[in-house]
Amino acid sequence: MPAESPVVADLTEQDLLDRIFPHLPVGSRTLVPPGDDAAVVTAPDGRFVVTCDVLVEDVHFRRRWSTGQDVGRRAAMQNLADVVAMGARPVALVVGLVTPGATPVSWVEGLARGLGDACRPLDVGVVGGDLSSGPVVMVSITAHGDLEGRAAVRRSGARAGDVVAYAGRCGWSAAGLALLTAERPDVDPGLVADHRSPEPVLAAGPDAARAGATAMMDVSDGLLRDGRRLARASGVTLDLDDVRVAFAADARRLAAAADALGADVAEWLLTGGEDHGLLATFPAGVPLPEPFRRIGVVSTRSADLVRVGGEPPRAAGSGWDHFRDRGQPRR
Amino acid sequence: MPAESPVVADLTEQDLLDRIFPHLPVGSRTLVPPGDDAAVVTAPDGRFVVTCDVLVEDVHFRRRWSTGQDVGRRAAMQNLADVVAMGARPVALVVGLVTPGATPVSWVEGLARGLGDACRPLDVGVVGGDLSSGPVVMVSITAHGDLEGRAAVRRSGARAGDVVAYAGRCGWSAAGLALLTAERPDVDPGLVADHRSPEPVLAAGPDAARAGATAMMDVSDGLLRDGRRLARASGVTLDLDDVRVAFAADARRLAAAADALGADVAEWLLTGGEDHGLLATFPAGVPLPEPFRRIGVVSTRSADLVRVGGEPPRAAGSGWDHFRDRGQPRR
C-alpha cells in the first residue's frame, strides 16, 4: 500500500468505511445505527417524509471545480432542502456512494466530512449507505423528515389571492457556475463558493408550514421552471413582480459578475437553479416568516402559468433538463 | 424523434418519467405520492426501518446478461431482503436511476416493470426517485419497512446454545454466474435465471421475528463472510454443519453445474453471495418457521468466528470485496 495519497483501490471496503464513519453523525433519532442490515429511525407522529436526489460527476459537478467536502455538503443540502420544502424537519439520511478505484481516499473522506458538516448542526443522522466501485463518482442520497404533527405543505395548495414569497438566495449558483465556466472566479469568489456548496435556509421550511403556507417547493431548476410546476399543480397562475425589484438585493450582488461576463442578471434570477431557495404561497395578510419576502401574488389560472411584471417571461431558457441539456455540468 | 427503438436522449426527463410511472405501484401506505418535493409514508408504530443498496452496470450486472426487468427486480429484491432481515415488513422504496442517454427507453421501461413486479405483490410503494444521465446505468434504491410493534432483529443477538438456521436458496446465484461466465447457460437455465433475478423468501423475515429469532441477517456476500459478521457482532462462533448435508437440496441442484464446470459445490454454498437467503439464530427448542432449516448451532466465541463441520472452513474465497475483487461483475 502506498505510503501517501492512497486511492480507494488500496483499501478494503471495511477500511474505507472505517475512514468514513468517524465523520458522520448518528443523530439522536436513530434507534439502530449503521452496521446492521438496516437502520431504525423514530417517526413520532406516525409518518415520515422521504426524498431522493442523485449527484453524478461531470453532470452535476466536476472534481476539478469542487472538493469532496463541497460535493458532500451540497449533496446533503439539496436533499435536506426537499425535506424542508414539505414543511418537515430533517432527521436522517442514507447515502449510496459509487467511486472509481483511482479516487483518492482523502477525496472520499472530504465527502464524508461535507455530509457531516451539513447534517450535524441539524441533528440529522447519517444512518446507512452502500459503497460500490464505478466509472465516475455518484452520490445518491435519500433524506427523511418529521412533519411534527403538521400537514405536509404540497405544491398543489396555492389559491388565487395568496401571496407568493421566496426565502434564500436566488441566481448565485448560476452566476458562480458562469464565472467558473468563463475562468473568471476572481470576479466574485463568494458566488463561486455558493455554486460549489449552496446555503439553503433550511429552517424556513418548517417555519413556513407553522405560519400557514398553502403551497411550497424547493427551487432547484430555476424560478420559472419550478414556479410553473407549482402553478400547474395548484391550477393557478403566479404573477411575479419584476425580478430586478423583487430580488433587488440578489440583483445587486450579481451585477459585477453579469457586467464582467456580459450576462443578464434577470436571466440568472429566473432560470438559475440549485440555490435551493424556497418558493411558497401564503394567505394574504399572514405575516411572512423570516427570511421570506414577497415576490408576487397568485392569480386565477390564465394562459401563462407564470407571468413576470405582468408579462409572459422573456428569458430564453426555462431551466434544466437532464437528458436534453448536455455537455456541461448542471451548475 | 426516431420512429422505433428510441433511446433515453430522445425524450425529455418528463417524457421518460411518464413512461416509467405507470409501471410503479404507489402502495397503500403512501400518504403523499411521487410528484412533490418528497413523499409521505405512514409509520404506524412510530419508527421506520431504512436501508440502501446500489447496483452499478459492469460491477453488479451486465446489460448483455440481464434485461432491464431482471435488474429492476433484483435491485428491489436485494433491498427488500435487507428490510425483512430486520424482521420488518417492507412498505416503500425510492429509486435513484442514472442512465446513459444512449440507453434504449424500452430497457428503462423494463427496469420499472421489474421494480413493479417485485413491489406490487407485497404492497410496497415506489414513492419517489431521481433521474440523471451518466456514463453507465446505476440503480440506487432505499427501502423502508415497518416493524409492526416488534423489536428489530439485529446481528448482535445470537447466544451460545441457539440454533443457526437458513431460509432460501444458497449458491444458486453464484452457480448461475459461473455458467454465464463459462458461456454454458444451457447446463442449468434455472440457476442462470436465479443469478439474473433472485427469489428471496421475503415473508420469512417477519415470520422469524414473530418466532423469536435472536439475530438475523441477509446473506449477500456469502455464508462464510456474512456468518462471520453475525458471529462478530454477537460475540459468538457459528458452528455450521457440513454444508453438503445442511444444504443437501441445494447441493443436489448445483451438482450438474459443478460437474460441467469442474467447480466445487461446497465453495458455491459457502462463498456464493446474492441469493439473499436469511441467516438467523433461534433459541433452542423453538419451532423454526417455514422455510427455515437448521444448519448449525451457536457456540461460545473461539478462535474461528465460523466453523464448518467442526473445522475452520477450507474454502479459498471468503466473499466479495468491492474495491478488491475487480474485473468481473459481482455475480
Side-chain angles (χ1 to χ4, degrees):
Chain A
M1 193 179 297
E4 42 188 358
S5 299
V7 297
V8 164
D10 295 327
L11 271 58
T12 64
E13 194 169 344
Q14 190 56 52
D15 289 340
L16 188 58
L17 288 171
D18 290 345
R19 301 275 196 120
I20 290 173
F21 271 120
H23 299 292
L24 302 178
V26 172
S28 67
R29 305 276 298 261
T30 307
L31 301 171
V32 174
D36 224 299
D37 290 88
V40 183
V41 178
T42 62
D45 84 353
R47 301 169 296 169
F48 63 92
V49 164
V50 56
T51 181
C52 169
D53 247 339
V54 179
L55 288 185
V56 180
E57 182 178 358
D58 295 333
V59 177
H60 302 92
F61 65 91
R62 289 191 195 277
R63 273 198 269 167
R64 81 187 147 88
W65 285 352
S66 299
T67 66
Q69 198 162 355
D70 289 335
V71 174
R73 209 172 154 286
R74 180 174 154 202
M77 284 299 185
Q78 73 180 51
N79 277 280
L80 299 176
D82 280 325
V83 169
V84 305
M86 302 300 285
R89 174 187 156 198
V91 295
L93 297 182
V94 296
V95 183
L97 175 62
V98 174
T99 172
T103 309
V105 172
S106 59
W107 197 92
V108 177
E109 287 177 310
L111 186 132
R113 224 171 8 248
L115 288 171
D117 291 348
C119 291
R120 199 171 288 104
L122 302 169
D123 189 26
V124 171
V126 181
V127 301
D130 192 26
L131 277 177
S132 176
S133 54
V136 295
V137 175
M138 186 204 67
V139 190
S140 174
I141 291 191
T142 302
H144 303 87
D146 175 7
L147 286 163
E148 300 178 317
R150 295 182 295 271
V153 184
R154 301 182 59 174
R155 298 178 179 182
S156 51
R159 294 297 170 256
D162 287 353
V163 167
V164 182
Y166 185 91
R169 294 168 179 173
C170 188
W172 293 37
S173 178
L177 174 61
L179 290 173
L180 277 171
T181 305
E183 299 183 357
R184 297 289 308 278
D186 51 293
V187 173
D188 189 337
L191 297 179
V192 171
D194 216 60
H195 160 67
R196 291 188 172 121
S197 181
E199 295 277 0
V201 287
L202 298 173
D207 286 348
R210 279 186 283 264
T214 51
M216 183 155 54
M217 72 182 293
D218 160 54
V219 176
S220 55
D221 292 331
L223 192 61
L224 273 188
R225 189 180 175 102
D226 286 327
R228 287 189 185 113
R229 288 176 174 144
L230 190 147
R232 187 178 297 113
S234 293
V236 297
T237 285
L238 301 190
D239 257 310
L240 304 186
D241 303 333
D242 181 318
V243 284
R244 287 172 187 276
V245 178
F247 294 93
D250 294 297
R252 276 194 301 276
R253 177 60 195 257
L254 301 175
D259 283 351
L261 302 179
D264 180 357
V265 166
E267 175 96 12
W268 284 339
L269 292 170
L270 285 169
T271 68
E274 304 201 332
D275 296 297
H276 298 290
L278 289 172
L279 176 67
T281 57
F282 294 87
V286 161
L288 298 182
E290 284 287 331
F292 278 96
R293 66 262 191 193
R294 179 196 159 104
I295 62 165
V297 295
V298 179
S299 302
T300 53
R301 172 71 182 272
S302 61
D304 300 296
L305 289 165
V306 175
R307 282 189 296 254
V308 181
E311 304 283 332
R314 288 166 307 141
S318 62
W320 169 265
D321 193 293
H322 257 103
F323 296 102
R324 288 268 166 111
D325 309 346
R326 222 161 298 238
Q328 64 164 32
R330 184 168 178 181
R331 47 177 259 147
Chain B
M1 192 178 300
E4 43 187 357
S5 297
V7 298
V8 164
D10 296 326
L11 270 59
T12 64
E13 195 169 342
Q14 190 56 52
D15 289 339
L16 188 58
L17 289 171
D18 290 345
R19 301 275 196 119
I20 290 173
F21 271 120
H23 300 293
L24 302 178
V26 172
S28 68
R29 306 277 297 261
T30 305
L31 301 171
V32 174
D36 224 297
D37 290 89
V40 182
V41 178
T42 62
D45 83 353
R47 301 169 296 168
F48 63 92
V49 165
V50 56
T51 182
C52 170
D53 247 339
V54 179
L55 287 185
V56 180
E57 182 178 356
D58 294 334
V59 177
H60 301 92
F61 65 92
R62 289 191 196 277
R63 273 196 269 165
R64 82 185 146 89
W65 286 352
S66 298
T67 65
Q69 198 162 354
D70 289 334
V71 173
R73 210 175 154 283
R74 179 173 154 201
M77 285 297 185
Q78 72 180 50
N79 277 280
L80 298 176
D82 280 326
V83 169
V84 303
M86 301 301 284
R89 175 187 156 197
V91 295
L93 296 183
V94 297
V95 183
L97 174 62
V98 174
T99 172
T103 309
V105 171
S106 60
W107 197 92
V108 176
E109 287 177 310
L111 187 131
R113 226 173 6 248
L115 289 171
D117 291 347
C119 292
R120 198 172 288 105
L122 303 168
D123 188 26
V124 170
V126 181
V127 301
D130 192 26
L131 277 177
S132 175
S133 55
V136 296
V137 174
M138 292 183 262
V139 189
S140 174
I141 291 192
T142 301
H144 303 86
D146 175 8
L147 286 163
E148 301 178 316
R150 295 182 295 272
V153 184
R154 301 182 60 175
R155 298 178 180 183
S156 51
R159 295 295 171 257
D162 286 353
V163 167
V164 182
Y166 185 92
R169 294 169 180 172
C170 188
W172 293 37
S173 178
L177 174 60
L179 290 173
L180 277 171
T181 306
E183 300 183 355
R184 297 289 307 278
D186 51 293
V187 174
D188 189 337
L191 298 179
V192 171
D194 217 59
H195 160 68
R196 292 188 171 120
S197 181
E199 295 278 1
V201 286
L202 298 172
D207 286 347
R210 279 186 283 264
T214 51
M216 183 154 55
M217 72 182 293
D218 159 54
V219 176
S220 54
D221 291 331
L223 193 61
L224 273 187
R225 190 179 175 102
D226 286 328
R228 287 189 184 115
R229 289 177 172 143
L230 190 148
R232 188 179 296 112
S234 293
V236 298
T237 286
L238 301 190
D239 257 310
L240 303 187
D241 302 335
D242 181 317
V243 285
R244 288 172 187 275
V245 179
F247 294 91
D250 294 297
R252 276 194 300 276
R253 176 61 194 255
L254 302 175
D259 282 351
L261 303 179
D264 180 357
V265 166
E267 176 96 14
W268 284 339
L269 293 171
L270 285 169
T271 68
E274 303 200 333
D275 296 297
H276 299 291
L278 290 171
L279 177 66
T281 58
F282 294 87
V286 161
L288 298 182
E290 283 287 329
F292 279 97
R293 65 264 192 192
R294 178 198 160 106
I295 64 164
V297 294
V298 180
S299 302
T300 53
R301 171 72 182 271
S302 62
D304 299 296
L305 288 165
V306 174
R307 283 188 297 253
V308 181
E311 303 283 331
R314 288 165 307 139
S318 62
W320 169 267
D321 192 293
H322 258 102
F323 296 102
R324 289 265 165 112
D325 308 345
R326 223 162 299 236
Q328 64 165 34
R330 184 167 176 181
R331 49 176 259 148

